[in-house]
Amino acid sequence: MSVSTMKKLTVFAHREETDELIRRLVRLRCVDVRTAEISAEQGIGRYDRETAGVGSEDRAAEVEAAMTVLSRYATRTRSLVRPKAKVDMDNFLSDGSADRAWQVVKRTLATSERQSALRSEIAKIESLREAALPYRAFDAPLGMTETERTDVLLGAVPAGVDMVALGKELYGAGAVAELLSENAAGRYISVFCCKSDTEAVSGVLSSYGFVRATFRGVEQGAGTYLRRLETSLSSMREEQERLEQSYVALAEELESVEILYDAVQTELTENACKQQMASTEATVLLSGWVPERAQKRVEELLAKHVCAYELTDPTEEDNPPILLQNNGFAANFEWVLGMYSYPKYGRFDPTFIMSIFYFIIFGIMFADAGYGLVLILACFGGVKLLKPGQSMERFLKMFGYCGISCVVFGVLFGAYFGDLPLAIMRNMMGIPEAELPNLALLGSSAANVAVLFDPLQNPMGFLVVSLGIGAIHLIAGMAVKFYILCRDGHPLDAILDIGAYWLLFAGIVMIFLLPTAGVWVAVAAVVLIVLTHGRSEKNPVMKLLKGLLGIYDLISYVSDLLSYSRILALGLAAGVIAQVVNILGTMGGASVGGFIGLVIAFVVGHLLNIAINVLGTFVHTSRLQYIEFFGKFYEDGGIPFEPAVPSEKYTEE
């Protein structure tokens, strides 16, 4: 309904008061801390940003990392509706609970670090074992590469190598080869030769694709070496099991770690506030904004500290943040306004009017009683069960209210999951077309259950409704502009710039009812526009030209009005898709298979239709607000009010 009045807060306090003062202001939840001005001439510099948040980010990262690990081992019941813990954060931080939670975090991270090291070591040993397994028949030390007079070559040749031919060639070169093992990857051999023959032997092996294996430092035979590796692996895996069990025990303290998470995140917020402050050697300067309705609470808090403060009205040079004040219904649509832009401070807040039109237009675009009921149950049920934060709660409530609109217009237009009742009667109950109900007051002789008319059978009637709603929407936007001009002391501008066009619209409508009177009214409006639209110009020629251009604005209004035909397009799209789903679902007739097909088509098809068209309806309804409605009056550019608040992801104080 309006933009909350803001007070500019300025506080001078002793440096030693900083931590406690910021802590209490954050918990007050109503102070938007802004960057304080500095003045080198007056000895005011920036608060020490480095020391304000030393280690906070690292501590927050540690807690979050520990929570990620412990959440996988928690034995508590997983639930989307788990309530937040009720905590006195001051007691938690002072009675040793926070220290114990930090110990859990440190132990968790140490365990995780050791576990990572174990995984790396196990992978390394398994790699060594896999490399040694093919040579398990080699009795000599695996690391042996030579004796006093001979060279020893261990390695592999491709699996397709003819070992008989290779053996003959190696024998001819003065070497003895032994096949140790083979598998799909290759054949593993040992080769002994005199050192004088090594070069010739290497040439033969190279021609057969020999790849040498190296086991540097291994002084045991393959069997002994493999047993040692297995023993190490077994020991490490046992340690891994113990670490896993320690996680289970640590996870019992997950709730205290979650409380610590909120405490650390709140500390980050407090440090961010400190970094906005200016300071001298002995004092700090804090600047920010406070809603007028919270002024008394802030004053009571500051009175408890050794500080000097003032709360003043914003000046013309200031740019106060915007806090919207709306009733319980309209407040749920504030985030839609925020997606576009907040209004300038002191300007008109269109949320309430926008919410009414958003409610109506969304319902007409997605007019289906069944789909609306799904939205109502899903959204309001989600609010009741999940107990989300304020932002998500408003998001869900907005779509829940829009679901109510969908139900209303769905009944008027006879849409219950498309034409599901008629499809069941026609295709599964076998009722002849002539005996199907026709309840519509307007529109068609075909079977339908609409109170007014079925948009699919009477699209022109639906177009008239769409454009009619659009005309009301546009005129409402002009009415808001009329009000703003009058409020700001420009009633004549309101009459000439807005009232003249209303007179023109009235004349155009009257032409179809009272042609002669309508023409005269329209002509009078045109003359008024031409004579007054350029009144700000001093040059008579420019006055006339600008007046003539005022008539051209009529084309803009017509273009805006035609934009509302998208209501027709979105409404027909949802209805046609639903109708196709119902045809597919009921084509099996009155049989077990037909009933199963109906259930599958109903669940899959209609849920998909809801998902697609809720998104499309949201986008196009928002567009009509942003472009056609706001374009008539809206002054945007406001900065949202973002008070410093404690983290309450897992806790409530």
Side-chain angles (χ1 to χ4, degrees):
M1 295 289 286
S2 63
V3 175
S4 178
T5 301
M6 286 290 167
K7 293 291 185 179
K8 186 175 183 179
L9 173 66
T10 304
V11 181
F12 279 98
H14 287 290
R15 262 185 173 274
E16 55 266 24
E17 290 275 319
T18 303
D19 292 342
E20 182 67 14
L21 177 62
I22 290 295
R23 188 181 67 83
R24 290 184 177 276
L25 285 176
V26 168
R27 281 162 176 75
L28 207 57
R29 296 172 170 83
C30 63
V31 180
D32 187 346
V33 179
R34 295 300 172 98
T35 303
E37 296 182 3
I38 62 175
S39 173
E41 293 80 6
Q42 298 177 358
I44 301 176
R46 182 61 57 207
Y47 190 86
D48 191 345
R49 293 172 180 265
E50 287 72 24
T51 60
V54 171
S56 296
E57 291 83 359
D58 293 338
R59 290 194 294 274
E62 289 177 352
V63 175
E64 196 162 0
M67 286 174 53
T68 301
V69 174
L70 295 179
S71 62
R72 298 197 297 265
Y73 297 88
T75 56
R76 68 188 184 190
T77 304
R78 297 180 182 273
S79 173
L80 292 174
V81 297
R82 188 168 61 87
K84 295 181 180 180
K86 299 292 191 295
V87 177
D88 184 326
M89 195 60 74
D90 290 337
N91 287 342
F92 176 80
L93 294 172
S94 61
D95 66 4
S97 299
D99 293 334
R100 289 191 291 274
W102 270 116
Q103 290 302 315
V104 173
V105 170
K106 296 297 184 183
R107 288 167 55 194
T108 301
L109 295 180
T111 302
S112 179
E113 185 176 351
R114 176 55 185 161
Q115 198 174 48
S116 297
L118 277 176
R119 283 195 293 265
S120 178
E121 291 177 23
I122 288 173
K124 179 180 178 181
I125 292 176
E126 286 181 338
S127 176
L128 293 175
R129 185 188 63 176
E130 291 301 317
L133 276 174
Y135 303 97
R136 58 186 175 274
F138 189 69
D139 294 331
L142 282 175
M144 184 179 71
T145 58
E146 61 180 348
T147 64
E148 183 179 351
R149 297 179 179 179
T150 63
D151 281 332
V152 182
L153 294 86
L154 288 177
V157 294
V161 168
D162 185 343
M163 292 303 299
V164 176
L166 174 60
K168 288 181 179 180
E169 288 197 40
L170 288 174
Y171 186 78
V176 176
E178 179 183 0
L179 178 64
L180 300 174
S181 66
E182 59 182 317
N183 55 34
R187 294 176 173 177
Y188 303 87
I189 61 175
S190 62
V191 179
F192 291 84
C193 65
C194 294
K195 290 188 175 182
S196 58
D197 297 326
T198 298
E199 185 175 350
V201 171
S202 296
V204 173
L205 290 172
S206 178
S207 67
Y208 279 87
F210 177 78
V211 178
R212 189 170 182 177
T214 57
F215 297 92
R216 291 187 180 89
V218 180
E219 299 178 355
Q220 304 93 1
T224 303
Y225 178 63
L226 286 170
R227 284 191 295 274
R228 182 166 65 84
L229 293 180
E230 289 292 348
T231 300
S232 297
L233 283 174
S234 177
S235 174
M236 290 180 182
R237 284 170 178 153
E238 288 177 2
E239 186 177 356
Q240 272 193 325
E241 286 294 326
R242 291 195 298 272
L243 292 177
E244 290 289 319
Q245 292 302 316
S246 68
Y247 276 142
V248 175
L250 290 169
E252 296 297 322
E253 302 296 327
L254 178 57
E255 184 172 336
S256 65
V257 177
E258 290 175 341
I259 298 172
L260 181 63
Y261 172 89
D262 277 345
V264 173
Q265 291 297 322
T266 300
E267 181 185 346
L268 285 177
T269 300
E270 293 169 357
N271 289 331
C273 293
K274 295 174 189 176
Q275 291 171 3
Q276 301 296 316
M277 298 192 305
S279 70
T280 65
E281 291 185 1
T283 62
V284 292
L285 169 62
L286 179 145
S287 295
W289 294 96
V290 177
E292 186 177 45
R293 63 175 184 258
Q295 179 176 346
K296 184 177 180 181
R297 289 195 293 143
V298 173
E299 290 176 337
E300 290 175 351
L301 184 149
L302 294 175
K304 299 176 182 178
H305 292 267
V306 181
C307 65
Y309 67 90
E310 64 175 357
L311 286 156
T312 59
D313 294 327
T315 64
E316 292 183 0
E317 292 76 21
D318 290 324
N319 187 18
I322 305 302
L323 175 62
L324 303 178
Q325 292 180 269
N326 289 284
N327 59 36
F329 171 77
N332 299 300
F333 293 79
E334 288 178 356
W335 68 273
V336 178
L337 180 69
M339 288 180 62
Y340 181 74
S341 180
Y342 281 87
K344 285 185 178 180
Y345 183 76
R347 299 302 182 182
F348 184 78
D349 172 21
T351 307
F352 176 69
I353 299 175
M354 182 201 73
S355 65
I356 295 173
F357 281 106
Y358 203 102
F359 175 84
I360 294 172
I361 293 173
F362 192 103
I364 297 176
M365 276 192 185
F366 200 42
D368 190 293
Y371 292 165
L373 184 61
V374 171
L375 280 178
I376 292 170
L377 295 176
C379 294
F380 288 123
V383 171
K384 185 70 173 178
L385 295 176
L386 302 180
K387 296 180 174 57
Q390 185 185 69
S391 296
M392 180 56 68
E393 179 180 349
R394 289 184 171 184
F395 176 87
L396 292 173
K397 281 186 174 181
M398 190 207 77
F399 281 103
Y401 283 124
C402 288
I404 295 174
S405 180
C406 293
V407 170
V408 173
F409 286 102
V411 172
L412 294 177
F413 297 150
Y416 301 86
F417 295 103
D419 64 342
L420 184 62
L422 293 174
I424 292 176
M425 287 187 282
R426 182 187 299 113
N427 299 329
M428 301 192 75
M429 299 174 64
I431 298 176
E433 189 75 24
E435 298 180 13
L436 292 176
N438 183 353
L439 307 178
L441 298 176
L442 305 171
S444 174
S445 59
N448 63 72
V449 291
V451 173
L452 294 179
F453 63 85
D454 184 345
L456 295 180
Q457 297 174 13
N458 188 1
M460 289 307 298
F462 193 31
L463 178 61
V464 170
V465 171
S466 302
L467 297 181
I469 291 294
I472 297 172
H473 198 206
L474 292 176
I475 291 173
M478 297 173 71
V480 173
K481 181 64 174 179
F482 190 97
Y483 162 76
I484 292 173
L485 289 172
C486 292
R487 182 197 65 182
D488 294 343
H490 306 292
L492 182 61
D493 290 341
I495 293 171
L496 297 179
D497 292 341
I498 306 298
Y501 284 101
W502 285 347
L503 186 63
L504 178 58
F505 298 158
I508 293 173
V509 173
M510 289 175 63
I511 288 174
F512 297 96
L513 303 174
L514 302 169
T516 302
V519 169
W520 281 109
V521 171
V523 169
V526 169
V527 171
L528 182 62
I529 292 171
V530 171
L531 294 178
T532 63
H533 205 70
R535 63 187 180 279
S536 61
E537 300 291 339
K538 295 181 179 180
N539 189 313
V541 176
M542 292 301 298
K543 282 182 180 288
L544 179 61
L545 289 176
K546 198 166 183 180
L548 292 173
L549 286 175
I551 301 301
Y552 184 78
D553 287 345
L554 182 61
I555 297 175
S556 175
Y557 286 115
V558 173
S559 175
D560 289 343
L561 182 62
L562 291 177
S563 293
Y564 290 85
S565 61
R566 68 185 68 243
I567 297 176
L568 166 72
L570 268 293
L572 293 182
V576 169
I577 294 174
Q579 197 172 70
V580 171
V581 170
N582 292 334
I583 291 173
L584 294 175
T586 59
M587 64 191 307
S591 63
V592 174
F595 179 76
I596 294 174
L598 174 62
V599 172
I600 294 174
F602 181 85
V603 174
V604 177
H606 285 300
L607 284 181
L608 184 61
N609 194 23
I610 290 174
I612 293 173
N613 283 286
V614 163
L615 177 61
T617 302
F618 165 71
V619 169
H620 287 281
T621 305
S622 298
R623 183 203 176 280
L624 290 175
Q625 311 303 319
Y626 298 157
I627 308 300
E628 276 68 37
F629 186 55
F630 288 174
K632 301 296 176 287
F633 65 90
Y634 194 50
E635 296 181 66
D636 63 350
I639 302 170
F641 176 70
E642 297 177 344
V645 297
S647 173
E648 293 183 325
K649 185 174 182 179
Y650 300 101
T651 62
E652 286 181 350
E653 285 204 69

